[in-house]
Amino acid sequence: MNDVYSIKDATKKIEHYCAYQERCHEEVESKLRSMKMDSDEIDQIIARLISDNFLNEERFACSFARGKHRIKHWGTIRITNELKFRKINSRLITTALKEITPEEYLETFEKLSNRTWENISETNALKKRKKFCDNLLRKGFESNLVYEKVKELEAMERE
């Protein structure tokens, strides 16, 4: 790997990096720092990427939210926290979460919760409940949804 990049070389390399998949400003900045670029050069390259539409935080946030929900089955809490960690502003996070329809969200929650409940082979009811709740809360689903669902599943199991 080259130790020193010219602005032109770095821009070309970062354009490819951004074209491969959506990136947030933080990821691009970090990549440029790892290429030993100074802050003036980083600002210049990021401005160019934005003007050439290689970098768009709103597009990144929406794509991130859709992908993490549909592929990894994350809830809104986890998605929000991960976007905040990437320094995405609240307005964009709200826009991104609108990408997930309430119907799709609940359908994913239902499938995931039923599958999770079936896959827990714990015989102790309290331990099974804890494992179930921990799993879904870690995925980022709202606690009221999780606790309502666990009560429903426990009632069905008793019948």
Side-chain angles (χ1 to χ4, degrees), residues 73-106:
H73 308 296
W74 284 3
T76 54
I77 295 170
R78 175 107 187 243
I79 292 169
T80 302
N81 289 338
E82 291 288 334
L83 287 170
K84 282 180 183 172
F85 176 72
R86 288 169 171 77
K87 296 186 171 85
I88 305 295
N89 77 42
S90 310
R91 186 185 57 78
L92 293 179
I93 292 173
T94 306
T95 305
L97 292 176
K98 288 179 185 165
E99 292 285 310
I100 305 165
T101 64
E103 298 79 29
E104 179 187 9
Y105 189 74
L106 289 174

